[in-house]
Amino acid sequence: MDQDTADKLIAEAVQARENAYAPYSKFKVGAAVVTGKGKLYSGCNIENASYSLCTCAERTAIVKAVSSGEKNLRWMAVVADTAQPVAPCGACRQLMAEFGIEKIVMASTAGQRKIVSVTELLPYSFNPSMLLGEELHSE
Ligand code: THU
């Protein structure tokens, strides 16, 4: 991930974080994703009084991109007010793997950042090819 894109993604994520709806945890998260064509989508976490319905910021951004017709996603940023760059949850890592996100810049609002690959975050991921048998491939 180049520096310019990382800066832009973090700026978008910081802005999206302003819209976080986190009255229960008070933990605001922002995320942004860039597609293979260079289009950006951002998102925030959205909580619910029925706690299990809380949506992560990364998931919001990815769902916005995919529902806009973008299935080829490339890089992502996530930001929160944490002592270390914030790490995405396990479920969001699986979602990143599904849509081909290669790298993620994890960041804190204080300006720390760390770039990691989704393969590092989720080695041996369950992926779409596992659902398809050899017969299906040859059809
Ligand atoms: N959260 C995210 O938005 N992304 C993550 O990767 C981790 C957790 C949100 C969910 C919930 O609203 C709050 O942070 C506390 O878990």
Side-chain angles (χ1 to χ4, degrees):
M1 185 187 315
D2 59 88
Q3 196 66 42
D4 280 358
T5 311
D7 291 346
K8 180 90 180 105
L9 280 171
I10 290 171
E12 291 278 328
V14 165
Q15 203 178 322
R17 184 175 169 270
E18 293 294 314
N19 296 326
Y21 177 70
Y24 309 106
S25 72
K26 316 275 189 223
F27 188 74
K28 295 181 169 192
V29 187
V33 65
V34 64
T35 70
K37 295 178 211 149
K39 214 159 168 222
L40 284 159
Y41 294 86
S42 63
C44 59
N45 55 328
I46 304 167
E47 298 187 344
N48 194 282
S50 176
Y51 295 167
S52 63
L53 297 180
C54 290
T55 303
C56 289
E58 301 91 314
R59 190 185 298 211
T60 305
I62 292 171
V63 165
K64 278 169 72 177
V66 176
S67 59
S68 300
E70 302 281 354
K71 293 182 188 63
N72 173 28
L73 309 183
R74 196 168 185 202
W75 295 325
M76 171 148 232
V78 57
V79 64
D81 184 9
T82 40
Q84 305 291 325
V86 65
C89 82
C92 288
R93 295 176 191 201
Q94 181 67 33
L95 210 55
M96 290 171 196
E98 178 79 19
F99 295 105
I101 294 175
E102 294 157 8
K103 297 217 166 183
I104 170 158
V105 54
M106 310 186 298
S108 69
T109 49
Q112 290 173 305
R113 57 172 72 180
K114 184 174 171 62
I115 297 176
V116 287
S117 68
V118 171
T119 316
E120 280 175 273
L121 290 176
L122 190 68
Y124 305 106
S125 70
F126 183 75
N127 62 68
S129 71
M130 291 177 183
L131 292 173
L132 307 172
E134 280 310 307
E135 316 79 50
L136 284 174
H137 280 303
S138 57
E139 267 174 18

